[in-house]
Amino acid sequence: MQPQYSLVIPIYNEEQTLPELYRRIGAVMDRMDGQVELILINDGSRDRSLTIIRELHQKDSRICYLSFARNFGHQIAVTAGVNFARGQVVIILDGDLQDPPELIFDMIEQWKLGYQVVYAQRTQRRQESWFKRMPAYIYYRILRHLADVEIPTDTGDFCLMDRCVVDILNKMPERNRYIRGLRAWIGFKQTAVKFERDPRFAGDVKYTFTKSLGLAVNGLVSFSKVPLRLSTYLGLFAAFVSIFMGLLVLYWRIFYSSSVLTGFATILMAIFFLGAVQLVSIGILGEYIGRIYEEVKDRPLYTLSEVAGFERKHHL
Ligand code: UDP
Ligand code: MG
């Protein structure tokens, strides 16, 4: 029988959290008003996570799992989980209990009111350092201005999606995945439920600075062509400045016989400025070309070393 609800949770080195995660998710699943499957995706963990996941699967038949052959990253892990989900409704949440599972009931309530996407929106990031909050705050606001679709601010991947949205998401082949953006792009009736983000239950943050930065760049580049245009603007600006300086020099030459513009400083500045503009432009171009290259290679999104709990065959 098809489950009504699928819960998708990516797991990367979460051995310390898994037992508590199961306790809290289990309690929520018991109270849900339909058949539930819990899909855990082991994203190439190097600790005992996979062993614990296997044990949980033995103990509780509602738990299915996928195991990647290596670490592919959070967005790809979520994608795999969503690919395999069989429910009429798919709910994505983090494995570190920062997304309170109890909020699922509020999401389901909204779904029953006719919304196809219900995303969780943070009102507060408790105990996350200012150092992490501030860039996130600025980033989401820049993204909102630049992106082609309206990506709601302060939302993560914690959300509920109806089958009609999930089917479309599954058809999107891109590998530089920014799920919260794709979700917004798909459309349908979407709404938010507010929540306070809890601190991580145990263990370290798995999103390193580089990974977070990568995700942030992904969001911008995948959903906006404004950065490309930026180099045009910068180039125009540099051209304007040089014309202005040329006229200035001409003016000085004509009206003041002695040359005012002497010395290296001016020349050096001009060279550095132009060099910087060109390098930045090439860099921006590179971001887009690199992505084209990635997409063109058309490799599978992930490799699986173990799959359990799904009776039905899936396309891998
Ligand atoms: N995660 C993953 N692969 C990775 C990094 C993270 O599957 O390469 C999982 C991790 O186990 C957790 C979720 O993604 O369930 C969110 O990670 P984390 O809490 O480190 O990120 P943040 O809270 O900063 O978004
Ligand atoms: Mg977290």
Side-chain angles (χ1 to χ4, degrees):
M1 207 185 112
Q2 297 279 58
Q4 167 84 337
Y5 301 108
S6 302
L7 308 182
V8 170
I9 306 185
I11 300 291
Y12 178 54
N13 296 344
E14 304 282 7
E15 61 179 5
Q16 293 171 43
T17 323
L18 271 167
E20 173 68 10
L21 177 71
Y22 176 63
R23 201 187 60 73
R24 271 184 64 188
I25 289 278
V28 167
M29 291 192 335
D30 292 340
R31 281 169 53 208
M32 283 166 80
D33 61 352
Q35 274 232 15
V36 196
E37 65 175 359
L38 170 60
I39 304 175
L40 299 174
I41 305 96
N42 171 41
D43 185 12
S45 300
R46 274 183 284 263
D47 62 358
R48 290 187 56 252
S49 295
L50 182 57
T51 321
I52 301 173
I53 291 173
R54 283 194 196 113
E55 283 165 16
L56 291 175
H57 167 66
Q58 293 296 329
K59 198 160 72 178
D60 190 333
S61 63
R62 296 172 297 183
I63 299 182
C64 345
Y65 68 88
L66 311 167
S67 188
F68 283 175
R70 66 166 172 88
N71 177 255
F72 278 90
H74 172 249
Q75 299 287 302
I76 300 296
V78 169
T79 303
V82 173
N83 284 164
F84 277 74
R86 294 164 293 183
Q88 184 58 36
V89 170
V90 176
I91 298 153
I92 300 170
L93 54 165
D94 275 359
D96 58 356
L97 288 169
Q98 280 198 285
D99 302 336
E102 294 75 19
L103 199 71
I104 291 174
F105 295 112
D106 297 345
M107 293 177 153
I108 291 176
E109 205 173 292
Q110 293 298 315
W111 174 69
K112 287 186 174 157
L113 288 176
Y115 290 97
Q116 282 88 18
V117 173
V118 187
Y119 51 84
Q121 196 164 31
R122 311 182 263 270
T123 51
Q124 227 176 40
R125 290 172 156 234
R126 255 192 289 171
Q127 288 186 9
E128 279 188 9
S129 65
W130 181 87
F131 188 68
K132 185 160 182 179
R133 275 196 328 250
M134 195 60 199
Y137 182 87
I138 298 173
Y139 172 73
Y140 282 118
R141 270 137 199 97
I142 293 179
L143 184 64
R144 195 175 53 184
H145 279 100
L146 296 191
D148 308 330
V149 285
E150 198 176 320
I151 302 174
T153 48
D154 303 314
T155 58
D157 297 320
F158 186 18
C159 71
L160 172 153
M161 291 182 289
D162 185 82
R163 177 48 51 189
C164 64
V165 174
V166 170
D167 284 342
I168 298 171
L169 189 64
N170 284 339
K171 282 197 199 114
M172 295 180 156
E174 57 213 84
R175 56 219 54 242
N176 288 296
R177 295 181 90 79
Y178 189 66
I179 294 172
R180 60 202 78 162
L182 297 176
R183 190 178 72 207
W185 184 91
I186 292 173
F188 289 96
K189 277 178 76 183
Q190 309 210 352
T191 188
V193 291
K194 305 263 186 204
F195 81 115
E196 268 186 35
R197 196 147 205 241
D198 291 327
R200 183 172 243 289
F201 175 73
D204 298 328
V205 180
K206 305 300 178 308
Y207 255 98
T208 56
F209 175 73
T210 340
K211 273 186 182 169
S212 299
L213 189 69
L215 185 70
V217 173
N218 238 344
L220 269 181
V221 174
S222 303
F223 286 93
S224 171
K225 286 192 280 295
V226 176
L228 274 178
R229 227 166 286 148
L230 201 69
S231 23
T232 318
Y233 295 152
L234 273 173
L236 285 177
F237 174 71
F240 177 77
V241 170
S242 67
I243 290 172
F244 176 75
M245 269 164 49
L247 288 178
L248 203 64
V249 171
L250 202 69
Y251 173 81
W252 276 327
R253 258 270 180 269
I254 295 171
F255 293 100
Y256 306 86
S257 50
S258 68
S259 176
V260 190
L261 273 180
T262 51
F264 280 128
T266 330
I267 297 171
L268 270 186
M269 239 180 58
I271 292 175
F272 271 80
F273 177 70
L274 277 181
V277 167
Q278 287 172 3
L279 285 179
V280 169
S281 307
I282 294 173
I284 293 174
L285 214 60
E287 279 298 327
Y288 286 86
I289 293 178
R291 260 148 247 263
I292 298 173
Y293 181 50
E294 285 291 317
E295 300 295 340
V296 162
K297 280 190 280 189
D298 205 25
R299 290 186 186 150
L301 280 182
Y302 46 85
T303 49
L304 292 167
S305 58
E306 207 174 316
V307 178
F310 304 90
E311 298 85 1
R312 198 155 55 89
K313 277 263 175 285
H314 288 265
H315 55 282
L316 294 187

